[in-house]
Amino acid sequence: MKQSIKPFLANKHRVWHSWRLKLLGIVLIGALLAATAVATAQTRTYSFSLTWGSFGAEEGQFNQPYDVAVDDDGYVYVTDTYNNRVEKFTGDGKFLAAWGSYGSDNGEFNYSMGLTVDGQGNVYVADACNHRIQKFSGNGEFMFALGSHGSGDGQFTYPYDVAVDSQGYIYVADSGNHRVQKLSSKGDFICKWGSLGPGIGQFNYPHGIAVDAVDNVFVGDYKNHRVEKFASDGTYLTQWGSGGTGNGQFSNTKGVALDSAGNVYVADYWNNRIEQFTNTGTFLGSIGTRGNGNGEFSTPKGVAVDSSGNLYIADTGNSRIQKFTVGTALF
């Protein structure tokens, strides 16, 4: 009996070992395919498409454009900072409208800086030196202003950027107070987070802010040379970046934007480039070098992505907007 059991057990072991190898192979192949699919979904390459604008104060000209945003219909909005106005264009750079002038009354600006567009096509502008956020229709009709100068709840000190989430909540990069404030769609204070410092959840002049499809908040932490990611209630999630010129490093972080896949784009100010990351901070690629040619930048401050994945860059020092079309190849 013992002699008949041993061959049976040995054969059973061989069969089980063979199935284990097959199962391991299937798992490895599946993991490889999944990883490839994720990489393909998360990485994009870009080609220079066109540029518009030049230095000046006429229609379609700019004096240090700070930020750029695109609405669901593909219209492009630019904060023309030193001309204290907002300009509106088609996606190929045709001038449509402008509004604003220097001042502190409704619809006037004292350094128009970051801006965003909500799902209804309304435009929100960080009116930095008036220490407020102004809301307009897509045609420039004034709707309301919120905020005043100070450090209390709902007050601002040099707000540099603004974002709106899927529920209509407003997030402000309250730069001079080294914090983010969350407000209701009507401007009522909800919560705040952040303080001056290099630690987790702290800021040293937050300059850029953006929200993804599930309302996570991404902050360009200017002097800490990093991006910090938070839940919509301010819960810290992760961060990436450090000072330097290498991949994934920054020389002062400015504007932040996201595409439909959740990839994060960051205006790397003094490195004169735009860097692309996954939603959790893995470096994917970059575009740009210093200069004034096509695809070159001089201290870019703002970045936006349209519904087709095309990039628009506020090429601040060159007083122009550059557009890059999305491709299918990997970085």
Side-chain angles (χ1 to χ4, degrees):
M1 180 64 70
K2 292 181 180 179
Q3 291 178 347
S4 63
I5 289 176
K6 287 182 179 179
F8 172 75
L9 292 176
N11 183 60
K12 185 177 180 180
H13 177 73
R14 285 194 298 270
V15 171
W16 169 239
H17 183 67
S18 176
W19 273 106
R20 278 193 355 185
L21 290 175
K22 289 179 181 179
L23 182 61
L24 178 61
I26 292 171
V27 170
L28 289 174
I29 292 171
L32 180 61
L33 290 173
T36 302
V38 169
T40 302
Q42 291 181 334
T43 54
R44 291 175 171 175
T45 188
Y46 290 89
S47 301
F48 172 82
S49 174
L50 60 92
T51 183
W52 71 84
S54 59
F55 178 78
E58 300 300 319
E59 292 181 351
Q61 292 187 310
F62 306 109
N63 188 349
Q64 302 280 309
Y66 187 92
D67 203 5
V68 58
V70 187
D71 68 19
D72 291 342
D73 294 321
Y75 293 115
V76 180
Y77 303 84
V78 181
T79 43
D80 185 12
T81 300
Y82 287 95
N83 285 325
N84 294 291
R85 65 183 178 181
V86 174
E87 294 191 82
K88 179 179 180 179
F89 302 87
T90 63
D92 58 0
K94 179 183 177 181
F95 174 84
L96 295 176
W99 66 87
S101 59
Y102 175 76
S104 58
D105 290 338
N106 292 339
E108 296 180 331
F109 302 108
N110 188 355
Y111 290 98
S112 53
M113 300 188 75
L115 84 165
T116 193
V117 185
D118 67 19
Q120 288 71 51
N122 300 309
V123 181
Y124 301 74
V125 183
D127 186 9
C129 291
N130 283 325
H131 312 286
R132 65 184 180 181
I133 303 297
Q134 295 197 66
K135 179 180 178 179
F136 302 87
S137 73
N139 294 318
E141 298 170 352
F142 174 81
M143 300 179 74
F144 66 74
L146 56 96
S148 61
H149 189 197
S151 58
D153 294 345
Q155 293 186 310
F156 309 116
T157 298
Y158 303 110
Y160 266 52
D161 204 2
V162 57
V164 179
D165 72 14
S166 64
Q167 306 300 312
Y169 290 108
I170 302 166
Y171 301 82
V172 180
D174 187 7
S175 185
N177 287 320
H178 309 285
R179 65 185 180 182
V180 170
Q181 292 198 64
K182 180 179 180 179
L183 310 170
S184 74
S185 60
K186 296 180 180 180
D188 298 320
F189 174 80
I190 302 294
C191 66
K192 62 187 176 184
W193 64 89
S195 60
L196 175 61
I200 289 174
Q202 292 187 305
F203 305 111
N204 194 345
Y205 293 99
H207 276 201
I209 193 165
V211 183
D212 68 13
V214 294
D215 298 337
N216 293 313
V217 182
F218 299 78
V219 182
D221 189 7
Y222 182 71
K223 287 192 174 182
N224 283 327
H225 312 287
R226 65 184 177 183
V227 173
E228 292 192 88
K229 178 181 178 180
F230 302 86
S232 61
D233 63 355
T235 301
Y236 172 85
L237 297 176
T238 191
Q239 65 177 326
W240 64 89
S242 60
T245 60
N247 291 341
Q249 293 185 307
F250 303 108
S251 182
N252 297 123
T253 48
K254 277 286 190 177
V256 182
L258 289 103
D259 64 24
S260 59
N263 296 320
V264 183
Y265 301 81
V266 184
D268 185 9
Y269 186 57
W270 289 112
N271 284 329
N272 298 290
R273 64 186 178 183
I274 305 298
E275 294 196 85
Q276 183 193 23
F277 302 86
T278 67
N279 202 268
T280 54
T282 300
F283 174 80
L284 295 176
S286 66
I287 58 172
T289 57
R290 180 171 178 79
N292 57 14
N294 293 339
E296 297 177 331
F297 304 119
S298 177
T299 58
K301 292 182 178 179
V303 56
V305 189
D306 68 20
S307 59
S308 298
N310 301 309
L311 282 180
Y312 300 81
I313 313 300
D315 186 7
T316 306
N318 287 322
S319 290
R320 65 183 180 179
I321 301 298
Q322 293 197 62
K323 179 180 179 179
F324 294 79
T325 53
V326 64
T328 56
L330 305 181
F331 274 104

